[in-house]
Amino acid sequence: TTLGKETPIFFSKHENDFSEQKREDYHLYRVFDLRNQPKMFQRNGRFKDICTVEAASFKGFFNSTK
């Protein structure tokens, strides 16, 4: 991101589930402040061990009508 390291990240339900299942092998690399002085940090574990997780979207399926 061109913003700071605290800028929220977005990830899918699949990515979140994978981080739960493979928590020992899951690594997140965050590159930030790209415009000024690029930096990076790395964390491993589940998303919920790395950051606060909030639902960000919903998906709707249309019911079939008869």
Side-chain angles (χ1 to χ4, degrees), residues 8-53:
I9 60 171
F10 295 89
F11 47 90
S12 69
K13 180 182 181 320
H14 178 74
E15 289 168 316
N16 189 60
D17 293 347
F18 187 82
S19 80
E20 290 283 337
Q21 295 166 4
K22 301 286 188 178
R23 69 180 68 166
E24 300 297 320
D25 299 321
Y26 198 83
H27 297 268
L28 174 70
Y29 294 84
R30 176 68 164 192
V31 179
F32 61 97
D33 203 14
L34 287 173
R35 287 191 182 135
N36 299 314
Q37 196 170 28
K39 299 172 196 72
M40 183 186 87
F41 67 84
Q42 180 270 330
R43 302 283 188 271
N44 71 302
R46 305 176 293 182
F47 275 111
K48 69 181 181 180
D49 293 335
I50 297 169
C51 57
T52 302
V53 176

